[in-house]
C-alpha cells in the first residue's frame, strides 16, 4: 500500500511535510508512516506528493497508478485499507480517503520518539556548553538554532494529532509527554553554563558586528532564558519548574473540557423552514451529519465548518442564539466539563509564576517585552477602540433589517 510504495523514496529524505494537504510522511526506525486527516485520492495530488520527495514524474506516475488501483480495489472489497498497523484508509465523503490512525501504536510510537529526540537535543546542548572556545554567535546562538530539529518534527506531529484527533489514547499520551517537554525546556533555559555563554554575547552585542537579524535572535534567546528562570536561585528554579508542569497539565485539562463541550452540543433541526438562509453546502453537510449520527433531519454542531455559516446565514434568530450561546458557554455549564475551577487554578499558578520573577501581576510579566509594555497601556488601547466602536455598534443595532 502507500507506506510500502513511497518508503523507498524516503531513504535520504527522512521526513516529507506537505502542509497544504495536512500530510506528514515520516520515516522513523526503519518504518514509514503516513499522518494525515484527509488525503484526496485524485492522481494529481498523489503525484505532486511524490514529486516533492524527489521522485521523477515517470516514477511518480507509475507509483500513483499502482497505488490508486490497489487502494480502490481494497476499499471496494473490504471498505478499509490497512497501513502497516499504524492505521487504515477508509472511504470518506466526496471522493476522499479518511486516514484513521491506530491510537495505541501511534501513542507508543510518539512516546518513544519524543524521549529519544529530547535526549538528542540534550546532547546537542551539552556539546554547546562543553565547547572550549569562547562564545560566538555561531557556536552558541546559531548552534542552538540548529539543535532539536528532530524533536521539533516529532513534537509538530504530536501537537497536530492532539489538536485534530484528540481521542482518549492521544490525550493520555499528551499528559505523559507534556511534563517531559516542560522538563526539557527547563533543562535548556535553567542551564547556568549555557546561559553564561548567551549572557556574555548579550552584554557585548554592540561589539560583535551582528546583523540586525542576528541581534534580534540574540535578544530573543536572552529574554527567553531570563523568563525561563535563568536568573533565579536554585529554590525558585525548582518552584518555577513545578508551576510550569502544573500549568501545562491544567491547560490540557482546560482543552479537554472545552473539546468535550464542543463535541456534546447538538442542534437538530427537523423543520425544513428553519434552514432558510443557509447555503446548500451547509444544509447538505448537516444532513450527512444527522445520518451519520442516526438522527432525523439536519444536525448542526459547534465545530467551525457547521457553526460559522449557521451564525452568518441562518434566518432563524432564536436558533442562531442557541448556537452562539452554546459556543460561548462551553465550560460554564456546571457539569463534568466545567472549566471555572480550572481557570481559577491557572490564574493562581500564573500569579505565583509572576511573583517568582518580582512582578505584581502575570499581565505585567507577559507584557514587559511586548509592544504594549504595561497592562495600563493595553487597557488604554482597548478603551480607545471601545469608545469609538460603541456609538457605531449602537447605531447599527437601531437599524431595522427586517
Amino acid at each position: 500500500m502507500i507506506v510500502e510504495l513511497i518508503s523507498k523514496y524516503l531513504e535520504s529524505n527522512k521526513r516529507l511535510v506537505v502542509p497544504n494537504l495536512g500530510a506528514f510522511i515520516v520515516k522513523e526506525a526503519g518504518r514509514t508512516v503516513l499522518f494525515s486527516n484527509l488525503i484526496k485520492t485524485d492522481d494529481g495530488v498523489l503525484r505532486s506528493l511524490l514529486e516533492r520527495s524527489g521522485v521523477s514524474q515517470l516514477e511518480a506516475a507509475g507509483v500513483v497508478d499502482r497505488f490508486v488501483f490497489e487502494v480502490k480495489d481494497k476499499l471496494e472489497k473490504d471498505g478499509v485499507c490497512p497501513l502497516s498497523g499504524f492505521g487504515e484508509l477508509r472511504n470518506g465523503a466526496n471522493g476522499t480517503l479518511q486516514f484513521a490512525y491506530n491510537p495505541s501504536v501511534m501513542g507508543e510510537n510518539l512516546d518513544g520518539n519524543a524521549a529519544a529526540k529530547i535526549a538528542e537535543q540534550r546532547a546537542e546542548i551539552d556539546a554547546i556548553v562543553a565547547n572550549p572556545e569562547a562564545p560566538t554567535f555561531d557556536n552558541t546562538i546559531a548552534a542552538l538554532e540548529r539543535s532539536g530539529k528532530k524533536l521539533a518534527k516529532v513534537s509538530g506531529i504530536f501537537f497536530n494529532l492532539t489538536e485534530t484527533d484528540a481521542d482518549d489514547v492521544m490525550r493520555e499520551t499528551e499528559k505523559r509527554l507534556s511534563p517531559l517537554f516542560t522538563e526539557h525546556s527547563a533543562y535548556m533555559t535553567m542551564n547556568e553554563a549555557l546561559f553564561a555563554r548567551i549572557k556574555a554575547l548579550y552584554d557585548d552585542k554592540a561589539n560583535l558586528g551582528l546583523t540586525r537579524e542576528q541581534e534580534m535572535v540574540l535578544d530573543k534567546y536572552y529574554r527567553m532564558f531570563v523568563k525561563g528562570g535563568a536568573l533565579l536561585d536554585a529554590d525558585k528554579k525548582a518552584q518555577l519548574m513545578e508551576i510550569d508542569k502544573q500549568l501545562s497539565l491544567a491547560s490540557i485539562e482546560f482543552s479537554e473540557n472545552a473539546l468535550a463541550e464542543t463535541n456534546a452540543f447538538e442542534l437538530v433541526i427537523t423543520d425544513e423552514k428553519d434552514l432558510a438562509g443557509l447555503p446548500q453546502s451547509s444544509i447538505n453537510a448537516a444532513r450527512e451529519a444527522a445520518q451519520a449520527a442516526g438522527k432525523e433531519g439536519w444536525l448542526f454542531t459547534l465545530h467551525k465548518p457547521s457553526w460559522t455559516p449557521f451564525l452568518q446565514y441562518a434566518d432563524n434568530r432564536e436558533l442562531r442564539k442557541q448556537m452562539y450561546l452554546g459556543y460561548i458557554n462551553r465550560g460554564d455549564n456546571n457539569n463534568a466539563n466545567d472549566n471555572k475551577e480550572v481557570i481559577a487554578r491557572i490564574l493562581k499558578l500564573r500569579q505565583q509564576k509572576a511573583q517568582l520573577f518580582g512582578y505584581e501581576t502575570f499581565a505585567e510579566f507577559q507584557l514587559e517585552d511586548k509592544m504594549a509594555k504595561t497592562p495600563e497601556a493595553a487597557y488604554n488601547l482597548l478603551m480607545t477602540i471601545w469608545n469609538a466602536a460603541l456609538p457605531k455598534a449602537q447605531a447599527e443595532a437601531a437599524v431595522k433589517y427586517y
Side-chain angles (χ1 to χ4, degrees):
M1 302 323 342
I2 192 169
V3 168
E4 289 77 14
L5 293 173
I6 296 179
S7 178
K8 62 181 180 180
Y9 298 113
L10 294 173
E11 293 303 325
S12 59
N13 185 2
K14 300 301 183 185
R15 189 183 304 269
L16 173 64
V17 181
V18 190
N20 60 314
L21 297 183
F24 300 82
I25 295 183
V26 185
K27 189 167 186 65
E28 298 287 359
R31 308 182 75 172
T32 304
V33 188
L34 171 68
F35 294 86
S36 182
N37 294 321
L38 203 61
I39 298 223
K40 296 182 179 179
T41 59
D42 63 89
D43 295 0
V45 170
L46 289 171
R47 187 174 292 111
S48 173
L49 186 67
L50 288 166
E51 290 173 0
R52 285 170 185 252
S53 65
V55 182
S56 71
Q57 291 186 357
L58 184 61
E59 288 177 308
V63 172
V64 167
D65 288 343
R66 184 178 167 196
F67 166 70
V68 171
F69 173 80
E70 291 191 13
V71 169
K72 286 184 177 179
D73 181 64
K74 187 70 174 175
L75 289 172
E76 286 175 2
K77 290 180 179 178
D78 304 328
V80 298
C81 177
L83 297 179
S84 296
F86 278 86
E88 61 189 20
L89 290 171
R90 299 172 182 165
N91 284 315
N94 303 319
T96 61
L97 292 179
Q98 180 74 42
F99 174 69
Y101 66 87
N102 182 319
S104 59
V105 177
M106 191 71 76
E108 179 182 344
N109 192 48
L110 284 170
D111 272 347
N113 272 331
K117 299 307 179 283
I118 285 174
E120 285 184 21
Q121 189 179 27
R122 287 196 176 192
E124 292 169 332
I125 291 171
D126 292 344
I128 295 172
V129 172
N131 190 336
E133 298 178 3
T136 65
F137 184 89
D138 185 66
N139 70 20
T140 301
I141 302 302
L144 278 171
E145 283 284 283
R146 291 189 294 265
S147 73
K149 296 297 184 184
K150 293 181 180 179
L151 176 59
K153 291 175 181 177
V154 171
S155 61
I157 293 172
F158 167 66
F159 288 115
N160 176 273
L161 288 172
T162 57
E163 291 174 9
T164 58
D165 290 307
D167 61 11
D168 290 343
V169 173
M170 284 307 301
R171 280 192 285 269
E172 288 305 312
T173 302
E174 183 179 20
K175 289 176 183 177
R176 289 195 303 273
L177 291 184
S178 183
L180 291 181
F181 286 129
T182 300
E183 289 178 3
H184 178 59
S185 177
Y187 181 83
M188 181 169 64
T189 59
M190 295 183 187
N191 189 313
E192 294 182 4
L194 180 59
F195 180 65
R197 296 179 70 91
I198 295 172
K199 189 175 186 303
L201 293 171
Y202 182 81
D203 291 342
D204 193 40
K205 63 181 177 180
N207 302 314
L208 298 178
L210 301 177
T211 66
R212 181 70 189 99
E213 292 78 11
Q214 289 174 325
E215 186 176 335
M216 181 175 292
V217 173
L218 174 57
D219 287 346
K220 286 183 177 293
Y221 267 99
Y222 181 79
R223 291 198 301 269
M224 180 181 76
F225 272 66
V226 170
K227 288 203 165 184
L231 294 177
L232 298 178
D233 61 35
D235 288 342
K236 288 186 176 180
K237 284 179 179 178
Q239 292 178 52
L240 177 61
M241 187 181 297
E242 183 59 30
I243 288 172
D244 282 341
K245 285 182 181 179
Q246 293 302 317
L247 276 172
S248 177
L249 293 174
S251 296
I252 293 172
E253 184 178 354
F254 179 94
S255 298
E256 286 181 351
N257 289 341
L259 179 62
E261 291 277 86
T262 299
N263 292 337
F265 180 93
E266 292 182 346
L267 174 65
V268 178
I269 292 178
T270 55
D271 189 341
E272 192 168 359
K273 295 193 298 293
D274 290 330
L275 301 174
L278 289 171
Q280 191 60 45
S281 59
S282 294
I283 294 173
N284 294 343
R287 171 68 83 178
E288 291 179 8
Q291 291 173 346
K295 300 179 183 293
E296 296 294 328
W298 298 265
L299 173 61
F300 295 90
T301 70
L302 299 183
H303 298 288
K304 288 301 179 71
S306 176
W307 184 80
T308 300
F310 195 95
L311 287 187
Q312 186 173 357
Y313 297 111
D315 290 343
N316 190 314
R317 188 176 190 275
E318 185 57 35
L319 292 180
R320 291 203 313 274
K321 179 180 178 181
Q322 288 184 39
M323 290 285 280
Y324 176 74
L325 292 178
Y327 188 84
I328 67 168
N329 287 334
R330 292 174 304 160
D332 190 21
N333 294 306
N334 298 317
N335 56 17
N337 302 318
D338 198 275
N339 264 330
K340 289 191 286 292
E341 186 277 330
V342 181
I343 292 172
R345 197 184 331 141
I346 290 173
L347 291 175
K348 183 177 180 180
L349 288 167
R350 286 179 173 180
Q351 182 68 12
Q352 292 173 358
K353 182 173 182 176
Q355 290 175 346
L356 275 179
F357 288 91
Y359 292 88
E360 186 175 343
T361 67
F362 185 74
E364 292 177 355
F365 173 73
Q366 281 290 89
L367 291 172
E368 183 267 334
D369 58 354
K370 304 297 191 300
M371 185 179 68
K373 300 297 182 185
T374 66
E376 292 75 21
Y379 276 119
N380 287 340
L381 175 60
L382 290 173
M383 291 309 299
T384 299
I385 296 172
W386 171 263
N387 291 332
L390 182 58
K392 181 66 175 177
Q394 290 172 331
E396 290 180 355
V399 175
K400 299 296 183 181
Y401 293 98
Y402 52 88

